[in-house]
Amino acid sequence: MSAVVQSISSAAPEAERELTDGFNLIIDALKLNGLDTIYGVPGIPITDFGRMAQAAGIRVLSFRHEQNAGYAASIAGFLTKKPGICLTVSAPGFLNGLTALAHATTNCFPMILISGSSEREIVDLQQGDYEEMDQLAVAKPLCKAAFRVLHAQDIGIGLARAIRAAVSGRPGGVYLDLPAKLFGQVMDAEEGRKSLVKVIDAAPAQLPAPDSIKRALDVLKGAKRPLIILGKGAAYAQADDEIRQLVEKSGIPFLPMSMAKGLLPDLHPQCAGAARSTVLKDSDVVLLIGARLNWLLSHGKGKSWGDQPKKFIQIDIEPKEMDSNVEIVAPVVGDIGSCVSALLAGMGGAWQAPPAEWTTAIAKKRDENVAKMAPRLMNNNVPMDYHGALGVLRTIIAERPDAILINEGANTLDLARGVIDMHQPRKRLDVGTWGVMGIGMGYAVAAAVETGKPVLAVEGDSAFGFSGMEVETICRYNLPVCIVIFNNNGIYRGTDVNVAGDDPATTVFVKDARYDRMMEAFGGVGVNAISPDELKRAVNAAMDSGKPTLINAVIDPTAGSESGRIGNLNPQSALKKK
Ligand code: ADP
Ligand code: TPW
Ligand code: MG
């Protein structure tokens, strides 16, 4: 990708010198490191860069808003263990992408946000350049690392640093600032080639200390009611076989966190997903694998953990995670693949299964809960309630276990998580650590692009609205994405009223909106489904055809509850008028 130009010399005959520039060096550096997909929005100063990258064989997917491109890059990182690349213009475009970069960092997904930026000389004197902003300073507190490249000869090193920072240790988001002037900087092509860096072993194995393995096994051996909790770090690690062996060899019941569902199948005999409250309360030793004791696990203490004394063993690559909320009696620091393998080796041939009393109590609780739920999932009510609609989707995922399920909303999220069993690793992608709305369409695009598998996005009507314009992107790239909108006319419920005036209540939307018609506007398939049977037919047709489809699933507006399962986190006014 370098141009041959004639160098001008008055003394010698015209000598030919091969040149390259910033544009080409960035492209070459990305390709050299296997970064073959970019999610972004074009504009000054990166429009030509996007064109040239596309011409050079990089897949460049243009979005309608940078936040969605950023979410796409973040989940690409989770799915592939390579940093997902998001490309934006300066100031406003950069800021739009920044939410996703912070999200990637919070969720421990590797991602690089590459933004073009304005003239340093003008920005630093605050003289009012086009899209002026000190982007590096703004990005720094919100990501794992932030770098700026000023000279073409530093592009190779700059990208290498960004890749290593994103994927090594605890993965996260990295910002890479590329000022407009850099793109056009010319240098000798041979020198340029030499300046590129192919990153060797970007995320080196981190072996646990042998003592830490022995300590963990000693604690585990003494357990009467042990539990394994699998988090999305375990899903990310792609140590699926080792984790399965550990669970099965130990005989210990396991509880998957949301995005770890399917790492071992939810229908595995040791899965305690449907007995969650029982195992949290009654366990005596808990082995955390790639899961933090944050709000999603009630910080490892309090009511949901019961009164039984607990001992925690934690496997994590980040040493500072240990003791972050409660005491960890056996910290195991290292990468999950190495740690789990070391535990397996240390367990030897004969490992005592947990007491049958414990495992049968869990199985009983689980079977009771499953049986209680079963009839609700088979209802054919019109308008649909959540369970009737989800019962259908659960069967569809069981029949198509390699499809990727994307899920956001409040009731739509919490109920789908509980109802839809997952059967394979990394097939459930959702709102993650922040419980953020807006990941839907960005995730859908990246999931389809990165895996080539069909995607089913189950979206609350509010949740969908945060990224809804990307249905055009899905149609434009003709991606095998089926979006089901659980349309209950609003946030949580569609029935709220404003007692003080004519404006609608803050949580309701236009009644009986037809989201399916948005899809038709861009040539996709739109369906309005009012019964579980209609929903089933429409989703199956979409999954069979692979055509971009949006199904407006009409849900009873009274069916949901405030904030879904986490209403307890809402602050309440003691003075509220009744
Ligand atoms: P969940 O939300 O599913 O409970 P979290 O995002 O809270 O999961 O936790 C993921 C944890 O996994 C993080 O603490 C992160 O440091 C850790 N992690 C990510 N990748 C690896 C890896 N390859 N090896 C070890 N730990 C990892
Ligand atoms: C970026 C707050 C949490 S859940 C939700 C909002 C606005 C929408 C719930 O309604 P939905 O689902 O999607 O229709 P359902 O089935 O209960 O009706 N802004 C951001 N993130 C969050 N989490 C919010 C706001 C929120
Ligand atoms: Mg809703």
Side-chain angles (χ1 to χ4, degrees):
M1 285 303 302
S2 48
V4 177
V5 296
Q6 306 278 304
S7 75
I8 301 155
S9 156
S10 51
E14 283 191 350
E16 276 199 350
R17 194 158 73 98
E18 206 193 350
L19 295 180
T20 186
D21 64 7
F23 286 104
N24 287 295
L25 284 167
I26 302 163
I27 291 166
D28 293 346
L30 288 168
K31 288 177 72 172
L32 183 64
N33 286 288
L35 300 174
D36 52 11
T37 308
I38 295 176
Y39 302 91
V41 176
I44 297 171
I46 49 132
T47 316
D48 262 349
F49 172 72
R51 284 196 189 105
M52 290 170 71
Q54 192 172 47
I58 291 181
R59 187 139 198 225
V60 184
L61 293 120
S62 272
F63 281 67
R64 305 300 293 260
H65 190 292
E66 293 87 351
Q67 188 175 109
N68 305 317
Y71 286 141
S74 76
I75 207 66
F78 171 76
L79 288 169
T80 65
K81 296 185 92 175
K82 290 193 298 186
I85 306 290
C86 176
L87 177 68
T88 78
V89 303
S90 6
F94 155 77
L95 285 175
N96 284 346
L98 198 55
T99 310
L101 190 68
H103 164 84
T105 308
T106 299
N107 283 276
C108 315
F109 301 159
M111 162 178 173
I112 302 174
L113 173 65
I114 302 180
S115 292
S117 59
S118 306
E119 300 295 336
R120 286 248 48 80
E121 295 80 354
I122 307 180
V123 172
D124 288 349
L125 280 171
Q126 298 176 30
Q127 294 173 313
D129 202 1
Y130 168 72
E131 299 195 341
E132 175 180 297
M133 175 174 281
D134 185 357
Q135 297 169 192
L136 190 70
V138 172
K140 256 183 197 159
L142 297 170
C143 59
K144 201 178 159 192
F147 305 105
R148 175 187 290 138
V149 182
L150 291 176
H151 302 296
Q153 64 266 32
D154 292 332
I155 285 170
I157 285 291
L159 187 69
R161 299 214 70 186
I163 293 170
R164 278 199 189 279
V167 298
S168 62
R170 169 182 278 176
V174 176
Y175 177 59
L176 189 61
D177 192 90
L178 304 182
K181 266 188 194 165
L182 178 76
F183 291 90
Q185 275 180 34
V186 172
M187 69 182 285
D188 176 77
E190 183 52 27
E191 291 300 311
R193 264 192 292 276
K194 283 196 212 140
S195 73
L196 298 183
V197 177
K198 184 167 165 50
V199 176
I200 310 294
D201 197 11
Q206 296 194 21
L207 304 186
D211 281 358
S212 72
I213 293 296
K214 186 175 176 309
R215 195 183 295 118
L217 288 172
D218 286 346
V219 177
L220 214 51
K221 271 180 206 151
K224 300 231 157 31
R225 295 178 307 280
L227 172 67
I228 294 175
I229 297 185
L230 301 171
K232 60 177 163 324
Y236 171 80
Q238 298 195 16
D240 307 346
D241 290 344
E242 292 89 336
I243 291 171
R244 189 184 188 116
Q245 278 179 46
L246 178 73
V247 169
E248 292 183 345
K249 188 168 170 183
S250 70
I252 299 174
F254 71 93
L255 180 68
M257 298 300 286
S258 197
M259 281 177 56
K261 274 166 70 80
L263 186 47
L264 274 86
D266 281 336
L267 299 177
H268 190 285
Q270 286 168 255
C271 183
R276 188 176 194 272
S277 5
T278 303
V279 290
L280 291 189
K281 275 203 183 72
D282 295 345
S283 53
D284 63 350
V285 170
V286 180
L287 167 58
L288 297 156
I289 308 183
R292 287 169 285 186
L293 283 175
N294 57 15
W295 71 281
L296 287 158
L297 281 169
S298 311
H299 306 282
K301 55 199 167 194
K303 218 170 81 193
S304 41
W305 287 92
D307 314 321
Q308 305 281 343
K310 302 271 174 214
K311 286 185 179 164
F312 287 101
I313 307 167
Q314 183 162 26
I315 300 180
D316 205 289
I317 203 157
E318 174 58 66
K320 291 202 295 291
E321 189 55 39
M322 306 300 156
D323 304 325
S324 57
N325 284 272
V326 295
E327 182 191 26
I328 303 297
V329 300
V332 181
V333 175
D335 74 274
I336 285 168
S338 303
C339 293
V340 171
S341 300
L343 284 176
L344 275 167
M347 284 164 79
W351 181 265
Q352 180 85 46
E357 206 185 323
W358 172 235
T359 47
T360 48
I362 295 168
K364 184 163 167 278
K365 188 76 205 163
R366 184 191 61 206
D367 295 347
E368 275 168 23
N369 286 344
V370 168
K372 221 187 295 169
M373 174 111 85
R376 300 182 68 188
L377 299 176
M378 278 153 40
N379 87 63
N380 205 21
N381 293 346
V382 176
M384 289 183 271
D385 58 26
Y386 286 93
H387 287 89
L390 287 169
V392 162
L393 299 181
R394 179 171 109 125
T395 306
I396 289 172
I397 289 292
E399 290 165 356
R400 303 170 189 268
D402 68 340
I404 296 191
L405 178 70
I406 288 163
N407 190 202
E408 59 177 337
N411 294 280
T412 304
L413 175 87
D414 292 340
L415 294 169
R417 187 199 302 115
V419 169
I420 302 180
D421 292 321
M422 302 309 297
H423 309 274
Q424 294 180 11
R426 293 171 295 283
K427 298 295 186 186
R428 183 186 157 84
L429 310 175
D430 67 24
V431 299
T433 305
W434 265 345
V436 64
M437 298 297 111
I439 47 95
M441 298 304 103
Y443 274 24
V445 171
V449 165
E450 300 289 342
T451 69
K453 302 287 184 208
V455 174
L456 176 64
V458 179
E459 303 270 314
D461 53 337
S462 165
F464 171 74
F466 287 73
S467 66
M469 193 63 216
E470 304 298 344
V471 294
E472 188 276 331
T473 311
I474 289 166
C475 289
R476 180 161 25 101
Y477 293 104
N478 194 25
L479 297 172
V481 173
C482 173
I483 305 153
V484 175
I485 298 190
F486 276 23
N487 187 359
N488 64 345
N489 291 347
I491 299 174
Y492 314 139
R493 300 162 77 89
T495 50
D496 223 359
V497 283
N498 168 14
V499 288
D502 294 336
D503 275 346
T506 55
T507 56
V508 302
F509 299 145
V510 166
K511 302 265 175 266
D512 307 325
R514 291 288 301 273
Y515 292 96
D516 48 313
R517 293 189 180 147
M518 282 176 71
M519 202 64 170
E520 288 170 352
F522 303 109
V525 177
V527 181
N528 188 52
I530 64 162
S531 70
D533 283 344
E534 283 180 16
L535 178 62
K536 180 177 167 183
R537 264 197 303 275
V539 176
N540 275 321
M543 305 291 269
D544 287 340
S545 73
K547 282 190 197 141
T549 301
L550 191 156
I551 301 159
N552 184 59
V554 180
I555 302 285
D556 179 354
T558 66
S561 56
E562 178 94 359
S563 301
R565 289 271 163 85
I566 54 172
N568 57 313
L569 299 180
N570 275 315
Q572 298 288 326
S573 167
L575 309 176
K576 202 154 81 179
K577 293 203 184 90
K578 288 274 147 60

